[in-house]
Amino acid sequence: MPDGNDFIRMTARFSGGAMDYFVAGTGPDVVCVHGASGFAIRAVALRLRQRFRVWLPILPGYEGTPLIDGVNSVSDLAGLLAEFIDVQIGRRCELMGHAMGARVAAWLAILHPAKVEQLVLMAPGALRPAGAPALDASPEAVLRQWYAHPDRRPPETRSAAVLESDAAAARRYGTGPARDEALLARLPEIAALTLILGGSKDPRAPAEAVQAVKSVLPRSNLIYIYDAAHMLEVDQPARVANLVEDF
């Protein structure tokens, strides 16, 4: 179980199933969407809860939670989170996501623009340049892709069953550094003011990928996080939290 501090775990119920989430704080609403690697309560959420009401949904299948019939893709997750915003919040909100979660957030802003006030895309996944060579899949290389500072990783507390649940959920929704052509084609539809954050040492969401996002979003700012790989919040927690809070 993640260390929730003052976050409270609850369950949202929909016509097709249920989804667990954590919530804390008071103020304007912020929904944070985790990536394919799994759910965690990290620096940005901990900082924002001091000034905002922060919602942390656990995507179905992660943390051993039940799947939801008909929710099989990143765009399906966007539809589910749009329903979550309607049921739990009832008004437009700030939205942010990391890696696969950034894809979900982007699709939500495209398909349900009336629900999104501002948007933060951290190390958006599946947007590597066409023709880019495949990334090294060895454990040592993957570790370097995810962390510029592996020593800053929190200890792994998930059970073997939860790790397998998380991996199965990632496979279900489609993850990895492949190129999401459908999303790229529709990114210009995003009207929300958007902050794009990229890691200076991130080969999974490299400079070319985040620049491609910036180039088609007229109301966007791109900032690189120095000395950070794919897990921006782990490598540089204070820098990322400061930027998101200011935005």
Side-chain angles (χ1 to χ4, degrees):
M1 175 69 66
D3 179 5
N5 293 283
D6 54 348
F7 279 87
I8 299 171
R9 185 166 183 161
M10 303 184 74
T11 301
R13 304 194 181 280
F14 313 103
S15 56
M19 182 173 68
D20 284 5
Y21 65 94
F22 283 82
V23 63
T26 58
D29 295 286
V30 182
V31 175
C32 304
V33 190
H34 67 80
S37 60
F39 177 85
I41 300 174
R42 296 195 176 98
V44 171
L46 293 171
R47 173 73 66 81
L48 291 179
R49 84 195 196 286
Q50 300 173 26
R51 294 176 50 193
F52 300 86
R53 183 165 57 163
V54 180
W55 304 81
L56 306 176
I58 302 174
L59 300 178
Y62 282 90
E63 292 285 306
T65 60
L67 297 168
I68 296 179
D69 289 342
V71 179
N72 303 309
S73 67
V74 168
S75 57
D76 290 341
L77 288 170
L80 179 69
L81 290 180
E83 188 175 359
F84 175 82
I85 291 170
D86 282 342
V87 170
Q88 301 302 133
I89 299 174
R91 56 185 174 272
R92 65 194 301 143
C93 62
E94 315 290 338
L95 178 66
M96 64 172 289
H98 170 256
M100 184 188 79
R103 290 175 62 200
V104 175
W107 274 116
L108 201 161
I110 292 165
L111 299 173
H112 306 277
K115 303 186 191 307
V116 180
E117 188 69 45
Q118 295 186 118
L119 180 64
V120 178
L121 304 177
M122 295 197 302
L127 300 175
R128 294 181 73 232
L135 294 173
D136 188 341
S138 67
E140 297 81 5
V142 171
L143 185 64
R144 291 193 300 270
Q145 293 161 20
W146 281 88
Y147 302 98
H149 298 278
D151 56 298
R152 297 178 186 174
R153 290 179 300 164
E156 180 60 77
T157 59
R158 290 174 292 179
S159 67
V162 167
L163 288 169
E164 175 51 36
S165 170
D166 288 359
R171 292 191 295 269
R172 179 185 182 94
Y173 301 127
T175 184
R179 188 172 172 88
D180 189 339
E181 297 287 357
L183 176 58
L184 280 167
R186 299 194 63 177
L187 280 175
E189 299 176 36
I190 294 178
L193 182 63
T194 303
L195 173 64
I196 308 160
L197 298 179
S200 68
K201 297 181 177 179
D202 183 2
R204 302 185 73 85
E208 300 93 327
V210 292
Q211 287 167 5
V213 177
K214 173 70 176 73
S215 69
V216 297
L217 295 185
R219 302 185 67 225
S220 66
N221 296 304
L222 167 59
I223 299 176
Y224 291 102
I225 308 300
Y226 176 72
D227 199 24
H230 202 52
M231 293 298 288
L232 308 177
E233 285 185 88
V234 176
D235 282 330
Q236 301 296 340
R239 293 180 192 173
V240 175
N242 286 339
L243 286 167
V244 174
E245 184 179 33
D246 289 346
F247 180 71

